[in-house]
Amino acid sequence: MVGNSIAFHRKRRGMSQTQLAERIGTTLNMLGKLERGDRTLDTNWLEKIGRALAIEPRDLIGLPPSEGRAVLKNAAYEVAAEQAETRSIGSGEVVEIARLDLSLPMGPGATVDDFIESEPLKFDLGYVRSFTRTPPHRLRLAGGAGDSMFPTLVPNDLVWIDTTQNQLLHADRIYAASINGGAAIKRLRPIAGGRRMLVISDNKMVEPYEVDADEVVIWGRVIRFARDI
């Protein structure tokens, strides 16, 4: 068994085992074996994990500095703890999705990760997989605000945002974005050869308006919303 510092670098990045396992396309159980040294850490694993942690693959080889060795000592227990955390009674695996507070202005150029996260919400993974294959850590939730997207969206709708779809590839779809520094959930349409965008509200009382494309930072596409009845 050869020592490695996967767990040390993962924790330094503030990443859970579930998140790292999703990023490298493996199971939580397999990642635990790799961290403990129960499975061979070959070149393929080193490259995948190195990319996910934004470090050189060679930095994963060998034990971490002394202050990080307690991380490895507890790695065997962490897998069991996370597996217990991500199981719901009778429904299988559950995941946490970060919920954002879009009511606070963050200024021009703000990204989706700049916004304050409220308490994450837990969902059955089977439910999430029923409408998207995007990894849960790339999904965000936000509350509907205002009436500019009425009747499509109403206040307090729970809006699902896929942050992997952060380019305007589908005209007239609904996107979450920063427009001139303000958070917005709008339909976007490229115009003037893509140099400008038309910002469209579903509420017929709100007129569409044009903005320069560089004034828009797209965080992701709205792929679903839930509404209380």
Side-chain angles (χ1 to χ4, degrees):
M1 182 186 302
V2 179
N4 66 72
S5 56
I6 299 173
F8 173 69
H9 289 290
R10 172 177 59 76
K11 283 186 172 288
R12 288 188 67 183
R13 298 281 296 177
M15 193 181 300
S16 71
Q17 286 186 314
T18 298
Q19 290 171 325
L20 179 56
E22 288 174 348
R23 292 192 182 191
I24 65 175
T26 192
T27 64
L28 182 60
N29 186 49
M30 174 58 78
L31 177 60
K33 291 179 179 179
L34 291 169
E35 288 192 348
R36 296 192 302 272
D38 294 343
R39 290 295 297 267
T40 301
L41 195 60
D42 59 22
T43 302
N44 184 47
W45 284 120
L46 286 171
E47 290 178 351
K48 284 184 178 180
I49 297 170
R51 283 196 301 269
L53 297 176
I55 62 174
E56 292 294 329
R58 64 175 178 268
D59 293 337
L60 296 167
I61 301 172
L63 293 174
S66 58
E67 65 269 19
R69 291 180 184 170
V71 173
L72 292 181
K73 184 178 180 180
N74 294 326
Y77 302 101
E78 189 177 355
V79 175
E82 283 212 38
Q83 286 177 329
E85 177 69 18
T86 58
R87 293 289 171 183
S88 60
I89 298 174
S91 60
E93 189 174 358
V94 301
V95 292
E96 290 187 343
I97 310 294
R99 184 171 183 174
L100 306 177
D101 183 354
L102 301 185
S103 66
L104 302 175
M106 299 297 289
T111 69
V112 68
D113 290 322
D114 292 327
F115 281 82
I116 296 173
E117 295 184 5
S118 59
E119 189 71 21
L121 299 182
K122 293 185 178 182
F123 296 89
D124 184 86
L125 182 59
Y127 166 71
V128 177
R129 287 285 179 261
S130 71
F131 60 87
T132 181
R133 304 301 297 179
T134 297
H137 72 273
R138 296 299 303 275
L139 298 172
R140 296 293 185 275
L141 299 167
D147 60 1
S148 66
M149 290 300 290
F150 179 84
T152 306
L153 299 174
V154 300
N156 300 320
D157 278 352
L158 188 64
V159 178
W160 291 73
I161 302 167
D162 182 346
T163 66
T164 67
Q165 300 187 50
N166 55 10
Q167 309 247 346
L168 185 52
L169 301 178
H170 305 282
D172 293 4
R173 299 285 182 89
I174 301 177
Y175 290 88
S178 169
I179 303 176
N180 290 319
I185 295 178
K186 300 284 188 180
R187 293 189 189 275
L188 300 177
R189 180 188 302 167
I191 55 177
R195 297 186 302 275
R196 293 178 64 79
M197 289 187 191
L198 187 65
V199 181
I200 305 169
S201 300
D202 284 4
N203 189 331
K204 300 305 181 184
M205 302 296 292
V206 181
E207 292 292 329
Y209 61 92
E210 295 183 16
V211 295
D212 288 336
D214 58 9
E215 295 174 343
V216 179
V217 179
I218 297 176
W219 305 326
R221 188 168 72 85
V222 174
I223 58 172
R224 190 179 184 86
F225 65 90
R227 178 176 304 168
D228 292 334
I229 59 174

